[in-house]
Amino acid sequence: QVQLMESGGGSVQAGGSLTLSCTASGSVFAVTSMGWYRQVPGKQRELVARMTNSENVEYDYFVRGRFTISRDNDKNTVTLQMDSLQIEDSAVYFCNAEAAFHTKGWERRYSTYWGQGTQVTVSS
C-alpha cells in the first residue's frame, strides 16, 4: 500500500500563490508517477499536473505557464507551485500516485492511490 500526505492548501486572493506538497510512504518502491488532480462539487476530478519517474510531465492546458510541478524521487515527494491563481482554480486538490507491483515473472499489478484532498480557495 501507498499512503499520501498532502499539505499547503489554503485561501489566497486572485493573483497570489500557493505551494502544494505531497509525500508518499509505504510501498514507495513501487511508485511510478506522482501528480495532482482537482475537483469541485458536481464536476469530475481532472488532471492538474503529473510527473513520471522518468520526469515526463503533463499539465492541464489551463494551468500551463502558471503552475510548475517538481518531484524529488528519492524523497518520494511531489510539489506543485501555483502562481497567478485565478478564481477558477478554487477546488479540492488531490495528490495522486501510480504504482506497479511485480507478481509472477514479468507480470505486474497496477494500482492508483489518492490523498485525502486539500482545499484551495481563490477569492477576488
Side-chain angles (χ1 to χ4, degrees):
Q1 296 293 110
V2 176
Q3 295 79 43
L4 302 174
M5 185 172 65
E6 306 158 331
S7 64
S11 181
V12 66
Q13 287 190 317
S17 299
L18 286 173
T19 302
L20 303 182
S21 182
C22 175
T23 299
S25 62
S27 302
V28 294
F29 63 89
V31 173
T32 59
S33 69
M34 297 184 69
W36 289 92
Y37 289 68
R38 64 187 180 186
Q39 187 172 26
V40 298
K43 300 293 182 64
Q44 289 187 317
R45 191 171 299 181
E46 63 181 22
L47 172 71
V48 179
R50 72 197 319 268
M51 179 181 289
T52 69
N53 286 7
S54 59
E55 299 186 343
N56 295 121
V57 178
E58 181 180 1
Y59 288 100
D60 177 79
Y61 175 83
F62 296 101
V63 308
R64 184 178 295 273
R66 298 187 297 116
F67 293 6
T68 303
I69 191 169
S70 61
R71 187 176 171 200
D72 185 337
N73 289 300
D74 292 334
K75 295 183 177 180
N76 303 294
T77 298
V78 62
T79 299
L80 185 68
Q81 177 66 44
M82 304 186 293
D83 297 320
S84 301
L85 282 162
Q86 303 170 7
I87 296 176
E88 294 77 14
D89 296 316
S90 297
V92 177
Y93 284 67
F94 294 89
C95 182
N96 163 265
E98 304 294 328
F101 297 90
H102 290 97
T103 55
K104 300 179 182 179
W106 293 95
E107 296 180 0
R108 282 185 163 188
R109 175 174 60 84
Y110 299 92
S111 299
T112 300
Y113 299 92
W114 297 99
Q116 80 283 358
T118 184
Q119 178 70 50
V120 171
T121 302
V122 184
S123 60
S124 61

